[in-house]
Amino acid sequence: LAHDLRNPLTAVSIALETLEAGLTREGQTPPLSPNLVAQLFKQARTQARSIDKMIAGLLQVARGTAAELDIQPQKVELEKLCHEVLMQLSDRARAKSLKIETDIPRDLPRTYADQERIRQVLINLLDNAIKYTPANGKIRISALHRTTQKIQFSVCDTGPGIPEENRDRIFEDRFRLERDKAKDGYGIGLCLCQRIIRAHYGQIWVDCPPTGGSCFHFTLPVYPN
């Protein structure tokens, strides 16, 4: 739960603290502009809705009701969504001096997906990549138009990788690698990712290149013209 909720909770806290500081300090120079106040309220509301949806999804995972995930597909610009998530996580990546590379074609078609659910998937995969990539390492984010109906998105890192015998099991509910059992976490993040992607009739999998690290891939449907 902490794994998924950390970033939106931080965003809500920052927005509210900024509003509180701007509204309680008379004579502040410069004061908060009406436009900035509106943006901060919007940010807090959006992230609060995201938190509510995450909790609902996590409860559904606990009940094992993958088929009942509330998916509300719409036209989604995956590149824009990815950059928003990267901005959320930028402080953590910067603290480890990680190099972030993106390779997303400008002509990548829009996807037909639930934006907030896919945001959860991106946050989870990128948060894991940052967590497991050592300082001064590299994370590569790429996308390709795999077929006329599918887009493939990939998040690769230079971390320790996933043992071959566990590459299917890491998507099981509450499964954790032996090396991670002493660390924070509940082993439900990747399980939720898989259920979200399957609810979109997509696939999610992991492989480990010969050079090391791990690459998580998932597919989503192209928005119909």
Side-chain angles (χ1 to χ4, degrees):
L1 187 61
H3 181 85
D4 268 336
L5 297 179
R6 181 191 306 119
N7 293 294
L9 279 172
T10 299
V12 170
S13 296
I14 291 172
L16 293 176
E17 287 168 7
T18 304
L19 285 165
E20 182 182 31
L23 296 175
T24 58
R25 296 177 187 173
E26 295 183 4
Q28 182 186 30
T29 306
L32 297 179
S33 68
N35 185 51
L36 178 56
V37 170
Q39 288 181 7
L40 289 168
F41 274 121
K42 181 180 179 181
Q43 169 79 344
R45 283 195 302 270
T46 299
Q47 296 299 335
R49 284 196 294 267
S50 179
I51 291 168
D52 181 68
K53 203 165 189 178
M54 283 184 186
I55 291 172
L58 290 166
L59 290 173
Q60 286 171 327
V61 168
R63 291 197 299 267
T65 55
E68 296 177 15
L69 279 177
D70 181 23
I71 298 298
Q72 300 174 3
Q74 57 183 302
K75 187 186 295 184
V76 176
E77 293 184 24
L78 203 53
E79 181 181 17
K80 180 181 178 183
L81 184 59
C82 177
H83 284 300
E84 288 176 2
V85 172
L86 284 173
M87 284 296 293
Q88 280 185 246
L89 302 174
S90 60
D91 288 345
R92 293 188 57 233
R94 196 178 301 115
K96 296 181 70 175
S97 300
L98 300 180
K99 183 179 180 181
I100 308 292
E101 295 181 352
T102 58
D103 181 14
I104 303 176
R106 291 186 177 180
D107 61 350
L108 187 74
R110 293 174 179 175
T111 62
Y112 187 57
D114 185 314
Q115 180 165 294
E116 294 310 309
R117 293 293 191 189
I118 300 306
R119 188 189 302 275
Q120 284 180 261
V121 173
L122 290 174
I123 287 175
N124 207 295
L125 296 182
L126 286 167
D127 189 63
N128 277 342
I130 292 170
K131 178 180 178 180
Y132 290 106
T133 301
N136 302 304
K138 183 172 69 175
I139 295 172
R140 179 179 173 80
I141 302 152
S142 59
L144 58 88
H145 194 182
R146 188 172 178 180
T147 69
T148 55
Q149 289 87 30
K150 295 284 184 182
I151 287 173
Q152 179 177 316
F153 198 85
S154 302
V155 177
C156 300
D157 60 54
T158 55
I162 308 294
E164 187 172 359
E165 64 272 17
N166 295 135
R167 290 177 194 171
D168 291 329
R169 295 203 65 199
I170 58 170
F171 295 102
E172 294 177 4
D173 188 15
R174 297 181 180 85
F175 177 79
R176 305 191 73 198
L177 295 175
E178 194 65 34
R179 70 187 185 208
D180 297 332
K181 288 184 178 179
K183 298 179 181 178
D184 292 338
Y186 299 93
I188 59 177
L190 289 176
C191 175
L192 180 59
C193 287
Q194 183 183 66
R195 295 189 180 197
I196 290 172
I197 296 302
R198 284 182 174 177
H200 286 83
Y201 302 99
Q203 294 176 301
I204 184 169
W205 69 99
V206 62
D207 58 43
C208 296
T211 53
S214 59
C215 286
F216 283 84
H217 315 275
F218 64 86
T219 60
L220 289 172
V222 171
Y223 186 82
N225 294 321

